[in-house]
Amino acid sequence: MKRLLRKATTIIGVSVIAVGLLVCSLLSFNQTAGATNQSGRLITIHDRGDEKVLLSNAATIGDALKDAGIVIDNRDAVEPKADVKLVASEYQINIYRARPVLIIDGATRQKIVTPYQTPEQILKDVGTTLYPEDKAKITQSENILVDGAGLLLTIDRATVFNFNLYGNRTEARTQGATVADMLRAKGLELDASDRVSVPLTTPITPGLEVRVWREGKQTVTVQEPVQFDTEQIRDADHEIGYKAVQTAGQVGQRNVTYEIEIQDGVEVNRKEIVSLVTTEPLKQIEIIGVKPKTLPYTGGGTKSEWLGASNIAESDWGYADFMVGRESGWNPNSVNKSSGACGLAQALPCSKVPGNPYNPIDSLNWMNSYVNGRYGGWANAYAFWNAHHWY
């Protein structure tokens, strides 16, 4: 009985000791982790093949580099950039040191200092266009004293030629030696009905004209402009000849699909199948002057004097008085702001009136001729005005 109790007591003791050790381990791990978190962020710096690791409490990438005693030239490149704020627990920093590179582009040689590594990055940095068909490579200089740089960036420009592919003419580029090489490089497989304007063995030379077409009927979709409409607003405050654009018009675009027929490389027929406007045109609004260039009337007088001096028969003065009063209020210098009609008779355009349209006599004489010619007399014109409120 005593032996059994002793054994049980021993097992319980071992268990208590094991639990105690586990708790101590956990406390020790938490303390260690807390100490690590408080010691800074883990920064790994890659600089010209060297790797440097440090813990830093710096606020930015640039500050961390200063803490590490690393000097950055203003032509060097740092990724992430030096002004990036440190918020994560660890960072990988790459430093690309600027070095001289000689760019050889045909007969042009340009020496630069750049931190960039690839030909595409270097050429973009100096503003040199590299087309997809061009080739560029970086090599070590064999004579630094002559080249002035340890690295050479050599551009192999593609040959520029004129390419008309199924009616779409463009300036194209290729590294291919022949027309067949060019078509192969561009992934173009000729159909049985396709034709080429030159033999496939023709060498590609600068400015060469190459045309590919397909015999028979086919469809082609092209972009075409949609012209805008123009609306003109007549402004009586400006003289005749004045013109100004209030709202500039904009040309629209439409996609048009045609069925075309080709014979011996020449289009012999074209028929529109469908059209879709992709960009609506914007109407242009223009202001045009309608004010006559003659000076306004300043001669004075009354309507009775003006009627007496005009060609209007005295028996028709009552009709004339009524109509002129409604049209212009017997103001010789009256101008309709909307239409530009002017003078006692409100002639439209003013240039219809012989002489000065603002002169009461000239205006009344024109009105008399107009009324008699159009309506056969003042009485008929008066009746028409009452019915329509214009004449």
Side-chain angles (χ1 to χ4, degrees):
M1 186 69 176
K2 291 180 181 178
R3 184 180 298 168
L4 291 173
L5 287 171
R6 189 179 296 114
K7 185 176 181 180
T9 303
T10 301
I11 294 172
I12 292 171
V14 171
S15 299
V16 170
I17 292 170
V19 171
L21 290 172
L22 177 62
V23 171
C24 290
S25 297
L26 291 173
L27 289 173
S28 176
F29 174 79
N30 288 337
Q31 290 173 355
T32 302
T36 301
N37 288 338
Q38 293 173 0
S39 62
R41 296 180 174 84
L42 184 63
I43 307 293
T44 303
I45 302 171
H46 304 277
D47 183 10
R48 289 178 289 199
D50 295 333
E51 184 177 290
K52 189 171 186 178
V53 181
L54 70 149
L55 292 171
S56 175
N57 289 312
T60 66
I61 295 287
D63 294 336
L65 294 175
K66 289 179 182 177
D67 291 346
I70 296 175
V71 178
I72 302 296
D73 187 86
N74 59 4
R75 291 174 294 185
D76 296 336
V78 179
E79 293 180 355
K81 292 185 177 181
D83 59 356
V84 171
K85 293 183 178 180
L86 296 175
V87 293
S89 59
E90 61 180 84
Y91 284 86
Q92 297 282 333
I93 301 176
N94 295 304
I95 300 175
Y96 301 105
R97 297 293 181 176
R99 75 277 193 222
V101 176
L102 178 64
I103 300 175
I104 304 173
D105 187 2
T108 303
R109 298 168 71 90
Q110 178 185 9
K111 188 171 74 173
I112 64 168
V113 177
T114 178
Y116 295 105
Q117 306 299 304
T118 67
E120 292 76 15
Q121 289 175 314
I122 294 172
L123 294 173
K124 182 179 179 181
D125 183 46
V126 298
T128 298
T129 301
L130 187 70
Y131 294 95
E133 296 86 358
D134 296 333
K135 295 180 180 179
K137 63 179 181 179
I138 296 178
T139 58
Q140 291 287 337
S141 171
E142 296 180 356
N143 192 332
I144 297 179
L145 293 177
V146 174
D147 296 329
L151 295 177
L152 307 179
L153 194 165
T154 305
I155 304 174
D156 179 14
R157 294 290 184 184
T159 304
V160 181
F161 67 102
N162 297 314
F163 195 24
N164 188 324
L165 181 62
Y166 303 124
N168 183 24
R169 190 178 187 279
T170 60
E171 185 180 73
R173 290 170 170 79
T174 184
Q175 292 282 352
T178 65
V179 172
D181 295 335
M182 177 272 294
L183 294 174
R184 192 179 305 111
K186 294 186 179 298
L188 297 174
E189 295 184 7
L190 298 180
D191 189 82
S193 57
D194 289 339
R195 302 288 183 271
V196 184
S197 60
V198 296
L200 296 180
T201 56
T202 302
I204 296 289
T205 55
L208 176 69
E209 294 278 349
V210 180
R211 184 161 57 95
V212 177
W213 72 90
R214 181 164 296 171
E215 291 283 292
K217 290 186 178 181
Q218 57 213 266
T219 59
V220 61
T221 300
V222 296
Q223 270 198 344
E224 294 184 354
V226 180
Q227 296 301 323
F228 55 81
D229 293 329
T230 300
E231 178 183 344
Q232 291 187 332
I233 298 176
R234 303 166 69 87
D235 189 348
D237 289 333
H238 293 91
E239 291 186 346
I240 295 172
Y242 173 85
K243 183 178 181 180
V245 176
Q246 185 182 73
T247 303
Q250 291 184 4
V251 176
Q253 290 286 340
R254 69 170 186 154
N255 288 336
V256 190
T257 300
Y258 293 99
E259 180 186 76
I260 60 175
E261 185 175 355
I262 305 295
Q263 293 180 4
D264 296 327
V266 178
E267 181 180 324
V268 295
N269 188 39
R270 172 174 293 224
K271 180 175 69 175
E272 183 176 320
I273 298 175
V274 65
S275 172
L276 175 65
V277 176
T278 56
T279 304
E280 292 288 345
L282 179 64
K283 180 189 291 186
Q284 178 160 301
I285 308 297
E286 298 177 349
I287 306 297
I288 60 170
V290 294
K291 180 181 178 181
K293 294 183 178 180
T294 50
L295 295 175
Y297 179 73
T298 57
T302 65
K303 63 179 178 180
S304 297
E305 294 172 341
W306 297 334
L307 284 169
S310 72
N311 296 331
I312 302 174
E314 188 174 351
S315 58
D316 293 323
W317 285 6
Y319 300 126
D321 185 15
F322 174 86
M323 293 176 62
V324 172
R326 299 309 186 272
E327 290 291 328
S328 62
W330 282 99
N331 176 8
N333 296 317
S334 175
V335 178
N336 187 300
K337 291 286 186 182
S338 175
S339 66
C342 70
L344 292 182
Q346 289 293 282
L348 182 65
C350 295
S351 56
K352 285 183 176 180
V353 179
N356 182 355
Y358 294 111
N359 184 293
I361 312 304
D362 292 343
S363 184
L364 289 175
N365 285 340
W366 172 83
M367 188 176 186
N368 185 55
S369 298
Y370 176 79
V371 163
N372 286 307
R374 181 177 178 88
Y375 299 102
W378 281 92
N380 293 336
Y382 170 79
F384 185 90
W385 200 101
N386 278 320
H388 302 90
H389 302 292
W390 61 275
Y391 79 103

